[in-house]
Amino acid sequence: MTFPLVQLGTSDLHVTPICLGTMTFGEQVNETDAHAILDHSLARGVNFIDTAEMYSVPPKAETCGHTETILGNWFAKNPSARQKLVLATKVAGPSRGMPWIRDSQGLSAQDILTSCEGSLRRLQTDVIDLYQIHWPERHVPAFGAVYYDPEKESSKTNIHAQLDALATLVKAGKVRHIGLSNETPYGVHEFVRLAEQHGLPRVVSVQNPYCLINRTYENGLDETCHRLNVALLAYSPLGFGLLTGKYDDCGLLGEGAPKDGRMTKYETMRKQRWGRPESLAAARRYNALALENGMTPPQMALAFCYTKWQVTSTIIGVTSLAQLDADLDAWGTTLSPELLAAIDAIRWDLRDPAQ
């Protein structure tokens, strides 16, 4: 199977429409197995990998930076691999209960510069192809929060100052292009407006959740990105495993629950948006629809992302070679107009429970 290459926004980066996410490396996946997954992904033609300074997940002090270190060790063993890949990583936003990332609550210009140096060192590379702000420095509804509350605003570093710091990295040749993650329409517009006004690097992508149980990207951010030519990197296409069907009969806990499932294994994950009862109920509806149409649940869920005009590349996270092959083999699956209408009918009924 050969994957086409797609342009990442306004950049000169051309990536496969499937990106290998790595946040499980260093927690659910040990280094040996992670390297095997990286080898196989590259052999199958995926040229795009994504990581972050705070990985692995669930985040904790003792594993912060482990994923980048695992990737760096793989690059050291496979020098030619680095030249074949588009490498993306992220600088963490304000603490969000993770004081081990940095002392400050904000995301200062110096934080960005220092974090980039740490990522370059761990990744054992001279340049990061796509450097993203993992979540906004501003107080915004994200990671399950629904409403914007101006009284909770605690911003200390404005967007212009963040862009100036990112420009320093681009000018130094340490970063090729910049992107955002977990952003809002306002944030994307403001980053682009200030970049164009002041001659600073323009964001080329935004990495936001997008899947059957969370389509909030389509509530306005899709128009923003389309008109500004900012690419969507869709994460959690399988809804943290809910859209695989493995929790349909047993729930997230109890008899029959998959012991290796992220939602079963980690209580912190069950407390997030993906662990809501409404999220599992919606996933069960979509999974049943897939089976009724002769597909496996993950095949339909992935095909939904793979075929949507809004998505430039879909980020898949795996813990085994078998999962990797299954996710890649779903490429090329088409969804009929009737099936897409049935998907939309479920969304109209249940909306976006995992937003």
Side-chain angles (χ1 to χ4, degrees):
M1 181 188 303
T2 302
F3 298 107
L5 295 182
V6 288
Q7 185 175 359
L8 197 62
T10 58
S11 77
D12 59 357
L13 300 175
H14 289 81
V15 302
T16 45
I18 300 175
C19 172
L20 180 63
T22 61
M23 74 178 190
T24 60
F25 295 178
E27 176 62 39
Q28 289 177 271
V29 182
N30 64 39
E31 183 160 342
T32 299
D33 291 343
H35 287 184
I37 289 170
L38 289 163
D39 287 337
H40 193 56
S41 177
L42 183 59
R44 289 212 50 182
V46 174
N47 82 335
F48 193 15
I49 56 177
D50 177 75
T51 188
E53 68 169 332
M54 64 160 278
Y55 290 168
S56 52
V57 170
K60 48 191 176 183
E62 54 269 33
T63 58
C64 184
H66 276 204
T67 304
E68 288 185 329
T69 298
I70 288 171
L71 288 172
N73 291 340
W74 182 67
F75 288 138
K77 291 196 306 181
N78 303 275
S80 63
R82 178 66 190 91
Q83 306 308 314
K84 298 174 183 177
L85 291 168
V86 174
L87 173 62
T89 191
K90 312 179 201 72
V91 51
S95 173
R96 282 187 170 269
M98 294 176 283
W100 56 84
I101 294 177
R102 61 177 59 92
D103 293 333
S104 70
Q105 294 299 305
L107 179 62
S108 70
Q110 188 57 55
D111 288 333
I112 292 171
L113 300 177
T114 301
S115 285
C116 185
E117 292 294 344
S119 289
L120 288 168
R121 182 177 63 255
R122 288 186 294 271
L123 290 165
Q124 301 190 49
T125 188
D126 295 327
V127 62
I128 295 163
D129 297 308
L130 178 64
Y131 197 47
Q132 307 153 99
I133 295 177
H134 204 154
W135 57 86
E137 192 271 352
R138 314 176 318 279
H139 177 81
V140 300
F143 303 110
V146 178
Y147 301 110
Y148 171 67
D149 183 353
E151 293 187 0
K152 293 182 179 179
E153 186 56 72
S154 57
S155 178
K156 298 178 181 179
T157 307
N158 61 39
I159 289 174
H160 191 176
Q162 294 170 56
L163 277 171
D164 274 335
L166 293 166
T168 298
L169 295 171
V170 172
K171 290 175 184 175
K174 297 177 180 181
V175 167
R176 292 181 65 191
H177 296 282
I178 65 169
L180 304 171
S181 185
N182 299 295
E183 258 296 358
T184 68
Y186 166 80
V188 173
H189 265 286
E190 193 68 357
F191 269 93
V192 170
R193 182 186 73 82
L194 289 169
E196 293 180 344
Q197 181 179 343
H198 298 282
L200 296 167
R202 193 184 195 274
V203 296
V204 301
S205 62
V206 61
Q207 184 178 146
N208 272 35
Y210 186 69
C211 64
L212 291 171
I213 57 175
N214 184 345
R215 292 170 60 182
T216 52
Y217 178 82
E218 294 176 305
N219 296 346
L221 186 52
D222 56 349
E223 181 187 7
T224 293
C225 290
H226 173 68
R227 295 189 183 277
L228 297 177
N229 196 7
V230 174
L232 170 64
L233 308 180
Y235 78 74
S236 294
L238 295 178
F240 264 50
L242 271 64
L243 292 166
T244 66
K246 62 187 176 184
Y247 299 107
D248 282 1
D249 297 330
C250 57
L252 307 183
L253 284 173
E255 186 176 351
K259 294 181 180 179
D260 292 334
R262 189 183 305 154
M263 301 299 287
T264 304
K265 202 168 184 181
Y266 303 110
E267 182 181 5
T268 54
M269 297 296 179
R270 296 193 298 275
K271 291 181 178 179
Q272 297 181 17
R273 51 190 160 167
W274 311 104
R276 294 170 182 159
E278 297 86 354
S279 296
L280 181 56
R284 284 171 169 151
R285 289 272 299 274
Y286 289 114
N287 296 341
L289 181 64
L291 295 171
E292 290 166 9
N293 284 270
M295 299 181 192
T296 65
Q299 184 181 17
M300 187 182 84
L302 288 168
F304 177 79
C305 290
Y306 291 168
T307 57
K308 292 289 279 186
W309 67 262
Q310 290 96 333
V311 179
T312 297
S313 191
T314 300
I315 301 173
I316 58 169
V318 303
T319 57
S320 69
L321 294 175
Q323 284 182 348
L324 175 61
D325 278 330
D327 287 0
L328 297 181
D329 290 344
W331 177 260
T333 302
T334 59
L335 306 181
S336 69
E338 294 77 15
L339 180 53
L340 289 170
I343 287 171
D344 282 346
I346 294 175
R347 189 200 183 200
W348 182 257
D349 190 21
L350 301 178
R351 302 305 165 104
D352 297 299
Q355 73 177 88

